Amino acid sequence: MFNFWKLVQNENMKIYRRPRTYVMLGIMFALMAAISIITYFVNDAHDASSWNMLYNEASIMFMLITVFTIVIASGSVADEFTSGTIKLLLIRPWTRSKILLSKYVAVLLYALGMVIAMLLFGFILNMVLFGYQDATASEVISPLVTGSIIAYMFQFSVLKYISLVVTTTLAFMLATVFRSGALAIGLSLFLILGVNTFVMLLATLDYKWIDYLLFIHLDLTQYLDHNPMREGMTLGFSFLVLAVYYAIFVGLAWYVFKKRDVAA
């Protein structure tokens, strides 16, 4: 187990010693700061709530974090093949499964770190600008939502992170199968951003097979707002569908990486 976490640490070093990692973080912070500061001056801090700002920014930033994590996940495996360093990894006394898993865990930790950094920065920034207000979720989000806004934001973040994990796993699998970071990034963004554009349209079609499409279930926060895309859908069913897709993505990535010949 100790050796495995040394592998994870090594993968983390690869991620965090690259300038693009900090550029992505800077872009996220700069965008959040711009949204809050512009809103502060436009509304004179009277019409905006710190919690409302945090919720709106989190909704936007989760999409941005998804794009950033897809870039990191796609490069994690594909760059090793492109540069030829994959051979140096495979001659070490570690199994291919452990090497692949260490890369995958490092990418998920990166995504988690970005989410935590985003929430902490957004909370501090908006509390400084707009002040702290006691509020319920029904006041900030929707009259259909009950409970405290803190509990809602926690659930919102957890459900968004689960969707982020599934999306990241898809990108990781594509990079492992095709050995091309650019192709994996392009395909992932097309599937996530392109297809998501038509998700609401697909959800209105009266076909049973649509209930099993990945993209119908990626936004788990639809259940927090009590407004599922398809009538009769439940959170448990969405979890089950995502779990099946997740198992397929992980299985394909593991199988291809185990069987691939890198001697050439």
Side-chain angles (χ1 to χ4, degrees):
M1 181 59 71
F2 176 76
N3 287 335
F4 173 74
W5 287 111
K6 291 283 287 184
L7 271 174
V8 174
Q9 183 182 22
N10 183 56
E11 293 302 324
N12 275 320
M13 289 172 60
K14 292 178 183 178
I15 292 175
Y16 292 106
R17 71 184 176 199
R18 292 177 177 174
R20 70 181 181 188
T21 302
Y22 301 98
V23 170
M24 291 174 181
L25 186 64
I27 290 173
M28 183 178 71
F29 285 166
L31 184 57
M32 293 177 70
I35 293 172
S36 293
I37 293 172
I38 291 173
T39 303
Y40 177 81
F41 285 107
V42 169
N43 292 280
D44 294 325
H46 295 307
D47 301 325
S49 151
S50 55
W51 288 111
N52 186 261
M53 290 301 302
L54 180 60
Y55 170 74
N56 290 334
E57 288 171 359
S59 300
I60 298 170
M61 291 307 122
F62 264 106
M63 180 58 70
L64 192 63
I65 291 172
T66 299
V67 174
F68 290 162
T69 308
I70 284 174
V71 172
I72 297 296
S74 299
S76 179
V77 176
D79 288 353
E80 299 279 8
F81 284 100
T82 302
S83 63
T85 54
I86 188 66
K87 297 176 184 178
L88 299 177
L89 278 176
L90 295 182
I91 62 175
R92 303 285 182 87
W94 300 311
T95 64
R96 290 195 179 196
S97 296
K98 284 186 176 180
I99 292 172
L100 189 66
L101 182 60
S102 66
K103 291 180 174 294
Y104 181 63
V105 170
V107 170
L108 294 188
L109 289 175
Y110 165 81
L112 181 61
M114 288 289 281
V115 170
I116 293 173
M118 178 266 292
L119 292 173
L120 286 176
F121 181 78
F123 178 81
I124 294 172
L125 174 67
N126 289 301
M127 294 305 158
V128 169
L129 290 176
F130 302 100
Y132 181 84
Q133 301 100 10
D134 288 323
T136 63
S138 60
E139 294 173 327
V140 177
I141 310 300
S142 164
L144 299 176
V145 183
T146 59
S148 72
I149 186 60
I150 296 176
Y152 179 90
M153 286 302 300
F154 177 77
Q155 295 174 68
F156 176 86
S157 301
V158 169
L159 292 178
K160 281 290 189 181
Y161 183 72
I162 291 172
S163 299
L164 176 57
V165 168
V166 176
T167 306
T168 299
T169 307
L170 170 62
F172 193 81
M173 180 271 292
L174 290 173
T176 303
V177 171
F178 295 110
R179 293 193 294 183
S180 169
L183 181 60
I185 293 170
L187 281 175
S188 299
L189 292 181
F190 170 75
L191 290 172
I192 300 305
L193 303 180
V195 178
N196 271 354
T197 306
F198 304 99
V199 162
M200 295 305 297
L201 176 62
L202 288 172
T204 62
L205 301 178
D206 191 21
Y207 296 106
K208 186 63 178 176
W209 57 267
I210 292 177
D211 290 342
Y212 302 98
L213 289 178
L214 169 66
F215 308 100
I216 296 293
H217 303 277
L218 274 180
D219 185 12
L220 294 173
T221 60
Q222 59 186 301
Y223 298 107
L224 284 181
D225 302 334
H226 306 289
N227 187 30
M229 291 186 188
R230 304 269 291 176
E231 186 178 352
M233 279 199 338
T234 64
L235 180 60
F237 178 69
S238 289
F239 272 137
L240 180 61
V241 172
L242 291 179
V244 171
Y245 277 103
Y246 178 83
I248 292 172
F249 297 155
V250 170
L252 273 174
W254 177 83
Y255 178 79
V256 171
F257 191 75
K258 286 274 289 184
K259 298 297 182 181
R260 172 151 283 153
D261 181 13
V262 295

